[in-house]
Amino acid sequence: KPNSHQSKLDHGLEFERDLKKEEGYTQCREHTDSGLITIIPFGTEEGLEILDWSTMEWVKIEEEAEGNKEGELMSVMVGETLARLTCMYYEATVHRVVRKEGGKGRYSVPFQLRASDNAVIDSVGLESPVVKPTKSLTKPIKVSDFIG
């Protein structure tokens, strides 16, 4: 397809980033990250959105933050591995990036904390007020098998 670039995300999800200068298009469609946590400094342009599960609406977190100046604020998001380790107490953050109307493009450098591929996710013995293990979520699994 002309004017488009295909890239691979975690779990083999694919997204298309249109290279034309349309306003309001999704630069990176909704996804979750596979690691433990992702730290995303707010970008050079607003556009990062997080799905609010209670309302099923997208929250424009960079616009909602008070005092946002480039590089001063960041978002910390839960990844799929941490969600699995806590038996889904913390859910992986669904997020996307949408081009801001009239924007020139958004740049941000996220940091992803990931477990080694050989590490084993094992929630057995972690029961606490936060972690409520269930049989389906306490079976130990290698990170490389979990995130594929």
Side-chain angles (χ1 to χ4, degrees), residues 73-124:
L73 298 177
M74 64 184 71
S75 174
V76 179
M77 294 189 241
V78 173
E80 294 174 22
T81 305
L82 183 59
R84 173 63 165 72
L85 185 62
T86 63
C87 297
M88 306 308 286
Y89 181 84
Y90 296 110
E91 295 183 24
T93 307
V94 179
H95 57 284
R96 68 182 183 183
V97 176
V98 177
R99 177 181 285 279
K100 182 181 174 188
E101 186 173 329
K104 297 177 183 176
R106 180 181 185 280
Y107 296 94
S108 179
V109 182
F111 169 79
Q112 293 187 349
L113 177 63
R114 297 179 178 206
S116 166
D117 284 345
N118 294 324
V120 175
I121 303 170
D122 186 357
S123 300
V124 174

Side-chain angles (χ1 to χ4, degrees), residues 21-85:
K21 300 291 182 191
E22 292 180 19
E23 296 175 350
Y25 76 88
T26 303
Q27 284 184 284
C28 180
R29 74 177 177 207
E30 61 272 3
H31 67 282
T32 58
D33 296 332
S34 65
L36 292 160
I37 61 169
T38 301
I39 300 171
I40 302 179
F42 285 6
T44 55
E45 295 262 342
E46 296 168 349
L48 179 62
E49 297 182 358
I50 293 178
L51 183 63
D52 180 338
W53 286 102
S54 64
T55 62
M56 294 306 291
E57 293 182 3
W58 291 100
V59 177
K60 299 174 182 181
I61 62 170
E62 292 166 319
E63 289 179 21
E64 305 261 334
E66 291 187 29
N68 179 24
K69 292 183 182 173
E70 181 183 330
E72 289 185 0
L73 298 177
M74 64 184 71
S75 174
V76 179
M77 294 189 241
V78 173
E80 294 174 22
T81 305
L82 183 59
R84 173 63 165 72
L85 185 62

